[in-house]
DNA sequence: AAGTGGTCTAGACCACCGC
DNA sequence: CGGTGGTCTAGACCACTTG
């Protein structure tokens, strides 16, 4: 994993940027980098392209490659390097105790919306799993998820109190690797207010969408209602075409 | 622009996916595609990698390349192909009449937060521009932006009633090409309620962050308070590493 | 005109998957 | 084992920017 050449180049360049080794916020040209790292120019391009994607540098055809000044100034913002949820099975937990309270666990027929989002036929069944996520004892997210039973026949209330994705990875050898999500906001309803300890005028953030397995199978349709103080989604946006 | 080979391959493969030309949701292997398109395998890989990024297909090493079933099922969601604001100078306007009402336009010293975000020294001045964006006559966004005067000395209230980015591109030959944004939500304050026609318990979505020029110069620090019904940010998330 | 990044090629070899 | 995608190379030629 870590012995890939382009990864090593990426890491080294990042370190050198952080150590302020480059003058004028400018990197050497690609052909020079190719020589000094003793790798092909293609590999240098690959490394630089990823750094562009991460927002660390900018390339300008005809002029050169430049360091994003904000990367130096405010590196903490870049800790996620790309997209970041701030809320999922595997994030946000660093340094805090996260726990899960199971609110509901049942098997139901998939309604038309669920059918469409999970690519199911009529008469197929799904688990409905409603969970409350807490961090350091504070309720943060009400999460309602729908999973086709055929994709995880062994799912149990006990499993669901922990990480479902982790279970799938370990026990079923299926990796959840992609998602397509929408982020919105709404006034809180009575249930939100009760479970998330919100007052009437305090809203919830909503992240709803579909999680996919490695092979493209839609795995879970999920709707997360997030305490408004804890919704913080950071992202880079490239305003040009693709 | 459109005569790039990998672009043509991307467009053609998308059309073929849409026309359901591939069996089993599976694309031919890269070497076959290379032959049939009469281009190098590298170019095929480049095209496929972009389609992966857009969420159209999935690659599985050792097995093959597969079509994301949701791309066929629900193509409308994918109209943005990648990240999507739903709110900016150039989006959301399709088929609707958008207008701008200028609320405030002044030059002030940059406070410490602005200084940091725009990479300014002390004693530098910025425009403060507060605008209300309307779509079909309905107020949607209160936008407060800060722009260093040195980057756009010619800016005027008249210019600012239209698209600032467009002005920069046309008159100053500077392109705004990237941004780093945070998305949050909050209860609406009195001003939100008045300007966006919200009741007390209705929230605003907040998109705040920095826009950059082509060469990495931070150009504008902006905070947008969005009517909650109109905040809808769609995105793909790759849950693995980078 | 010189320098820089962008596109594209042709091919070698490796790593993983499934039969 | 054969088939698939992943990494890497060496080099040609093009497009844009700057002096």
């Amino acid at each position: 994993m870590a012995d890939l050449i382009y990864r090593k180049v990426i890491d080294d360049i990042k370190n050198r940027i952080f150590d302020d080794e480059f003058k004028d916020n400018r990197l050497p040209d690609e052909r020079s980098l190719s020589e000094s790292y003793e790798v092909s120019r293609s590999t240098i391009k690959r490394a630089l392209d990823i750094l562009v994607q991460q927002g660390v540098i900018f390339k300008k055809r005809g002029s050169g490659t430049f360091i994003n000044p904000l990367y130096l100034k405010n590196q903490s913002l870049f800790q996620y390097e790309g997209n970041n949820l701030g809320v999922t099975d595997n994030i946000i937990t660093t340094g805090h105790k996260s726990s899960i309270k199971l609110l509901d666990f049942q098997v139901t027929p998939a309604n038309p919306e669920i059918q469409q989002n999970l690519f199911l036929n009529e008469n197929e069944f799904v688990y409905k799993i409603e969970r409350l996520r807490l961090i350091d004892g504070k309720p943060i997210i009400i999460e309602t998820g729908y999973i086709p039973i055929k994709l995880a026949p062994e799912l149990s209330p006990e499993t669901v109190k922990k990480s479902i994705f982790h279970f799938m990875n370990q026990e079923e050898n299926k990796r959840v690797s992609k998602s397509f999500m929408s982020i919105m906001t709404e006034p809180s309803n009575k249930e939100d207010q009760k479970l998330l300890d919100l007052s009437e005028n305090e809203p919830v953030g909503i992240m709803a969408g579909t999680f996919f397995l490695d092979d493209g199978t839609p795995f879970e349709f999920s709707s997360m209602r997030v305490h408004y103080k804890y919704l913080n989604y950071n992202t880079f946006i490239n305003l040009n075409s693709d």
Side-chain angles (χ1 to χ4, degrees), chain A residues 1-12 47 50 54:
Chain A
M1 171 78 86
D3 55 352
L4 294 180
I5 296 178
Y6 72 86
R7 283 250 159 265
K8 282 194 265 188
V9 173
I10 288 173
D11 292 343
D12 191 66
I50 291 170
Q54 297 181 347

Side-chain angles (χ1 to χ4, degrees), chain A residues 23-169:
Chain A
K23 310 297 175 195
D24 300 326
N25 270 351
R26 185 201 184 91
L27 259 57
D29 70 278
E30 296 180 346
R31 288 161 180 88
S32 308
L33 287 170
S34 167
E35 271 191 45
S36 62
Y37 280 104
E38 294 180 305
V39 301
S40 72
R41 189 180 158 212
S42 315
T43 299
I44 293 294
K45 290 182 88 58
R46 180 175 203 155
L48 295 184
D49 284 346
I50 291 170
L51 288 170
V52 167
Q53 241 265 283
Q54 297 181 347
V56 176
I57 60 175
F58 296 85
K59 290 169 139 188
K60 245 189 130 177
R61 181 196 198 123
S63 355
T65 302
F66 305 88
I67 298 165
N68 177 351
L70 262 174
Y71 183 68
L72 285 170
K73 263 282 187 189
N74 200 351
Q75 210 179 15
S76 63
L77 279 178
F78 289 70
Q79 60 182 306
Y80 304 109
E81 279 158 15
N83 291 317
N84 158 45
L85 273 188
V87 262
T88 332
D89 265 349
N90 48 349
I91 320 185
I92 214 180
T93 50
T94 36
H96 298 274
K97 269 205 307 197
S98 79
S99 55
I100 291 177
K101 187 177 166 190
L102 186 57
L103 301 176
D104 190 14
F105 182 88
Q106 54 174 293
V107 174
T108 69
N111 69 31
E113 187 196 7
I114 308 286
Q115 279 171 37
Q116 184 180 38
N117 278 289
L118 292 178
F119 205 58
L120 298 176
N121 299 316
E122 285 187 57
N123 307 320
E124 291 206 71
F125 284 80
V126 293
Y127 298 100
K128 179 189 176 192
I129 303 158
E130 196 174 350
R131 303 189 289 183
L132 184 66
R133 287 177 179 275
L134 305 96
I135 294 177
D136 293 337
K138 293 194 55 168
I140 306 293
I141 306 174
I142 305 167
E143 183 188 341
T144 308
Y146 299 89
I147 298 175
I149 54 171
K150 66 180 177 188
L151 291 181
E154 306 292 331
L155 215 54
S156 71
E158 278 62 43
T159 305
V160 148
K161 285 179 189 162
K162 301 171 199 162
S163 166
I164 299 174
F165 294 173
H166 189 254
F167 165 80
M168 292 301 290
N169 201 339

Side-chain angles (χ1 to χ4, degrees), chain A residues 165 168-169 173-178 212-215:
Chain A
F165 294 173
M168 292 301 290
N169 201 339
N173 198 30
K174 291 174 180 167
R175 293 212 351 256
V176 177
S177 65
K178 286 185 172 54
F212 300 87
L213 299 178
D214 251 2
D215 62 2

